[in-house]
Amino acid sequence: MEVGNLDLFLSLTPLIVVVVGVVGLKKSAKWVSLVAMVYTMVLSVLYFKTEVFEVIRQTKIGIIEGSKMVYMIWAAFLILNMLIHTGAMDRIKEIIAELTLDRRKQIIIVAFCFGGFLEGVAGAGTPAAVAGPFLMALGLPALEAATAALIFNGIAAALGAAGLTTIGGFSPYLSTQGAEVVQEMMNTVPYLAKVAAPTAIDVDATIMNISMATSFIQFFGALICPALVLFVLYGKKAFDKEIACFAVFVGFVYGISLVIIGTFLGAEFPTICAGIFSLLASVLYIKLFNRSTETPEDFKLVLDESVEKSSMSAWSAVATYLILMIVLPSVRFFAPRWFIGLGFAVWIGTTMAFVCFIGSIILKATPSMPKYAKESLFSVVGALIAMAALLALANLMKVTGMLTIIATALAEVTGALYPAFAAIIGSLGSFVAGTTTGSNIMFSALHAKACTILGLSIPVVFAAQSAGGALGNMICTNNVVAACTTVGLKNSEGIVMRKVFKPICVLWSLYAVLALIYVYILLPNLPVVLK
């Protein structure tokens, strides 16, 4: 397929509108996404000659699916608001402070381990807004708190939101457009050469392969990220033998948890489990191997004795998250099929809301739940507009052939290096869309088309896209603004973004190399599973 310059330019313009609006004009992503959607609707009809009925249908599908996803995000915010208002979050902070006075270890425990767990449960960049003030409460300067929260969120988000980033990001494409792609793949992808008359993609099995490949890439990011964050914040002086061992140990536990859970259980639980397991490993390491040497004064937390400690029990404070850890997998594997059939975002959101209600009983906050629900609803209005508009935009770019045009041009330009660029494309999507899920939705069709042209494994390239999309959370405008706002850094978004730019470049380079290794050497035949 030969791509005309005008066709390519016009196909890129919906993305250009989003980038210029958010980055250049510094407008809200929700309104820019809405404008981009309307522009794409007009472009689809006038230039790409798409029927008006089909344009309206694809827009409607996008709005419905976006609403389902935001329902789950609302449930996540409901839990967080309840914990904040009841004082449970303050008690959790005290638990961390009682564990160690070493600021370096606290940063890793709170922003990496606990922040990873929050991303696994809630997603939507929640740790960027929660872990920052959490660290502030422990005495960390605002700039350091915001920077640490954002960088660590770049690791957690690829398999975050109880799998929404992967399942919600790729399932819409695999379930609606998969059969057509399979037919195209027959002549280009080696591992499908002998398959007779495929009719559809096994979405669940294919998601498992994407989850596995994503965890393989994320392992190395998790391994180096704790040390990388400390270096960004404090330079070489942050490291002695003890803290270096602690950082590598916790990073390894986090990364290997992603690999094991992502390979054998799927996309729902890797980040949740990695957060919990690395948190437990941190505690055990400090209890068993903490050296007798004094923490350097530069990194020692000085407690304010004048602040009255919470009277809440530790078990009450963490009960909601502990129950969620038990109930989520139980529902996933044992709930009636009709309930699971409501859709991933629906059953996850409903389960989280139910667990929040149980938690409110434990914390004696049930009468205040309507207030928390209303507050949480206001928190996700922007996400609802942006997600619905971006889903509609992505659908329109698929049915009009715009993504096919872009994919063909990219494949022609990058050739064998395309998998490396998938990670950067994923980051661009998160930067624009505000979430890894939105990035995956926006670019899944593009990557699939490029893979059919180049004969590459779609699950591995999807994994590079998702891992890169997670990195985009570090510089996503919404996350940066949220992180700065919650720690009281006014008009400092540019400073924070410059602070996180170097580590994101390091991780981009790492993921680009890993994507090439997995596509061509280690996992060249990882398949899209067919029914």
Side-chain angles (χ1 to χ4, degrees):
M1 174 182 176
E2 186 175 345
V3 178
N5 291 334
L6 181 59
D7 288 346
L8 177 59
F9 172 73
L10 290 177
S11 297
L12 287 169
T13 52
L15 302 180
I16 293 173
V17 169
V18 176
V19 173
V20 171
V22 174
V23 182
L25 301 179
K26 299 179 181 178
K27 300 297 182 181
S28 170
K30 62 181 180 182
W31 300 121
V32 172
S33 299
L34 198 59
V35 170
M37 181 193 73
V38 174
Y39 166 76
T40 306
M41 294 173 68
V42 174
L43 182 65
S44 299
V45 174
L46 296 183
Y47 185 82
F48 290 96
K49 308 301 180 184
T50 307
E51 293 184 1
V52 175
F53 172 79
E54 182 64 15
V55 170
I56 295 174
R57 189 177 77 88
Q58 293 297 331
T59 303
K60 181 180 177 181
I61 291 172
I63 292 172
I64 293 173
E65 293 302 315
S67 300
K68 290 179 180 179
M69 293 179 186
V70 172
Y71 168 63
M72 194 187 104
I73 297 172
W74 167 82
F77 273 104
L78 182 63
I79 291 177
L80 290 173
N81 284 328
M82 181 194 69
L83 293 178
I84 291 171
H85 287 298
T86 58
M89 188 63 74
D90 291 330
R91 182 67 182 101
I92 294 173
K93 294 174 185 177
E94 291 178 3
I95 295 171
I96 299 296
E98 291 167 1
L99 179 63
T100 177
L101 294 177
D102 191 320
R103 182 175 294 171
R104 298 165 297 179
K105 292 177 181 176
Q106 289 178 345
I107 290 171
I108 294 173
I109 292 170
V110 172
F112 187 49
C113 305
F114 183 64
F117 174 69
L118 287 176
E119 178 63 34
V121 173
T126 302
V130 175
F134 200 137
L135 291 171
M136 283 277 289
L138 295 174
L140 209 67
L143 180 59
E144 294 178 12
T147 301
L150 286 167
I151 296 175
F152 281 131
N153 190 220
I155 300 299
L159 292 166
L164 180 65
T165 51
T166 299
I167 300 174
F170 297 119
S171 290
Y173 171 75
L174 293 172
S175 59
T176 59
Q177 306 293 326
E180 298 175 10
V181 172
V182 168
Q183 297 295 335
E184 295 182 34
M185 293 168 65
M186 292 296 292
N187 296 324
T188 58
V189 181
Y191 60 74
L192 289 180
K194 297 181 180 180
V195 177
T199 58
I201 288 176
D202 187 331
V203 176
D204 291 340
T206 301
I207 289 293
M208 282 288 292
N209 283 345
I210 297 170
S211 172
M212 177 184 71
T214 303
S215 70
F216 285 2
I217 294 174
Q218 291 272 279
F219 170 80
F220 293 96
L223 184 64
I224 70 169
C225 199
L228 184 61
V229 169
L230 293 181
F231 183 81
V232 169
L233 294 181
Y234 306 118
K236 294 181 180 179
K237 69 176 184 179
F239 295 97
D240 51 40
K241 184 176 180 181
E242 180 182 343
I243 198 65
C245 291
F246 179 76
V248 172
F249 173 74
V250 176
F252 176 82
V253 172
Y254 192 106
I256 202 66
S257 299
L258 290 178
V259 170
I260 294 173
I261 304 300
T263 299
F264 296 105
L265 290 183
E268 294 97 327
F269 312 118
T271 304
I272 297 175
C273 292
I276 291 294
F277 294 156
S278 61
L279 182 60
L280 293 175
S282 300
V283 174
L284 288 175
Y285 187 97
I286 291 172
K287 295 293 185 182
L288 297 177
F289 303 108
N290 205 25
R291 307 296 182 186
S292 58
T293 54
E294 188 73 15
T295 301
E297 290 298 324
D298 288 346
F299 305 113
K300 189 173 183 179
L301 173 66
V302 179
L303 296 176
D304 186 353
E305 300 295 339
S306 65
V307 177
E308 184 178 350
K309 290 188 176 182
S310 172
S311 59
M312 183 183 295
S313 70
W315 287 112
S316 295
V318 301
T320 303
Y321 283 138
L322 291 178
I323 294 170
L324 192 64
M325 277 293 297
I326 297 171
V327 173
L328 264 181
S330 299
V331 172
R332 172 66 178 83
F333 292 112
F334 303 112
R337 293 182 64 87
W338 68 263
F339 184 60
I340 302 299
L342 294 174
F344 177 81
V346 174
W347 76 257
I348 286 288
T350 303
T351 300
M352 294 176 72
F354 172 76
V355 169
C356 186
F357 176 74
I358 299 300
S360 73
I361 296 175
I362 295 172
L363 295 170
K364 300 178 181 180
T366 306
S368 299
M369 286 300 289
K371 181 180 70 173
Y372 304 152
K374 182 179 179 181
E375 182 180 347
S376 301
L377 182 61
F378 287 141
S379 299
V380 301
V381 169
L384 173 60
I385 295 173
M387 189 66 72
L390 287 170
L391 275 165
L393 183 149
N395 287 345
L396 291 171
M397 291 186 72
K398 285 185 291 186
V399 299
T400 58
M402 290 186 229
L403 287 176
T404 299
I405 292 171
I406 298 172
T408 302
L410 280 173
E412 290 175 352
V413 172
T414 61
L417 295 177
Y418 185 86
F421 284 90
I424 296 177
I425 292 171
S427 293
L428 173 63
S430 292
F431 178 73
V432 171
T435 65
T436 309
T437 306
S439 178
N440 291 345
I441 291 169
M442 183 179 292
F443 291 120
S444 55
L446 183 152
H447 292 310
K449 183 63 179 179
C451 286
T452 62
I453 295 170
L454 298 169
L456 304 175
S457 168
I458 288 178
V460 175
V461 174
F462 276 11
Q465 150 71 34
S466 192
L471 296 183
N473 282 271
M474 296 184 192
I475 54 174
C476 165
T477 306
N478 291 348
N479 284 353
V480 173
V481 170
C484 290
T485 301
T486 54
V487 299
L489 283 175
K490 295 182 179 180
N491 302 318
S492 299
E493 290 83 4
I495 297 173
V496 173
M497 292 182 77
R498 286 194 294 272
K499 196 80 172 175
V500 302
F501 188 70
K502 288 183 179 179
I504 199 175
C505 287
V506 171
L507 292 168
W508 268 337
S509 301
L510 174 64
Y511 287 2
V513 172
L514 290 171
L516 294 173
I517 291 173
Y518 287 131
V519 163
Y520 293 113
I521 300 175
L522 299 180
L523 299 172
N525 296 324
L526 187 67
V528 167
V529 183
L530 306 179
K531 290 182 179 180

